[in-house]
Amino acid sequence: MSMPKGSNVPVPARPLRVEFGWRTGPGAPRTEACALLLADGRADVVGYGRAHPSGGVRHEGARPVDGERVDSLLVDLTRVEQGLDRVVLVASVDGGTFGQLPGARVRVTDAVAGDEVAHFECADTTVESALVLGELYRRAGQWRFRAVGQGYDTGLAGLAADFGIPADAFVPSEPQAAPEPVPAPPATAPQPLTPPAPSAPPVRLTKVTLTKDAPSVSLTKQGGTSGAMRVNLNWRMREQPRGWLRKAGLMGSQAAEIDLDLCALYELTDGTRGVVQALGNAFGAVDRPPYIQLDGDDRTGAVDSGENLTINLDHRHAFRRILVFVTIYEGARSFAGLHATTTLRPEGGAPVEFFLDECTVPSTVCALALISNDGGELVVRREARYLVPRPGVSPQRTVDQAYGWGMNWTPGRKH
């Protein structure tokens, strides 16, 4: 039975063969499969008959099998690097679309025993020319396969942009001869594991920067779909050009007196709404609703890591929307004079960052980023919106009214 899109299943930590197949026919475009290895801020692309230096992933090439064309990758989970968390499986077509590939599917088998461990039908493709087929990822020591099926009508350039890597990352560093067709193995004799082919140079995974012209990015498309995502705010005083200053360890007396609070309004798919903030000790939790937690409240500058919000993306389907914002608790009457950067760091995928514009209004609350669930796809939008509370209206109520959260507020204080 085919897995539903977005679902996942456990797989054994053994050599696995990932096959991307489709029914052959006249007019079918040329198709290539490859793997994107994500580890420690680095992305290595393995395809075009090549192998990763570790020998853990190797592109075996395409072959005809019973009226189908099958392009396969060998992923040996016993040999992948220790810091490797995800292997993203990607395919692209040249001079056509995936809608021209009938019966497209992904099949994962035990490369030694030949048993099928996962199966996913790519049934809803149309105009896409690049496709994230699925991913193998490690969670709490257990490897799993997730059926993704996310397509791009902008081809590999669009896919590369979402993962924060150069557009030419999927191009071989030198011309490669097409691999020789490999006969399909008998049902009772799985294909042998052969020595790896020459390795391709690694591609460095870079951050995604949001701007006014490009204000949003899909966490789902760029790989941030699971694990913990940390949200951090860095800033420096414009009048004290001493480099980047975190809330912990701010240099200069004026900066050290400012107490900024990182907060989040949330709305869950069951209709629950609330706030995570230091005020009132509403620190939240990551292992139960709202699956958002403020790590602490650094009011003295004694914590090296400053304040961070953690969002548990393993429960991403529980989120309807999350608004990350910052307030001035004390020490300043507005954000004027602060130059700030907001960074979201998903456990998988590239970091997402953006800069705040200079504040020219008497604002004590700034909406930073809106994370919304758009049909199961998590999208981050840069807000960078300074708000000015009316007399007698709290910063929290101000941001609530601006974004229509509709909550009831009572006075609170820090303990």
Side-chain angles (χ1 to χ4, degrees), residues 3 8 52 144 202 242 249 255 352 373:
M3 300 171 58
N8 64 83
H52 190 260
R144 305 183 71 87
R242 305 189 184 195
V352 177
N373 188 331

Side-chain angles (χ1 to χ4, degrees), residues 64 84 117 126 136 144 162 170 184 229 246 256 268 279 332 339 366:
L84 180 69
V117 296
T126 54
L136 292 161
R144 305 183 71 87
D162 268 350
F170 296 95
M229 179 172 72
R246 283 183 170 84
L268 305 183
L279 201 65
H339 182 66
C366 179

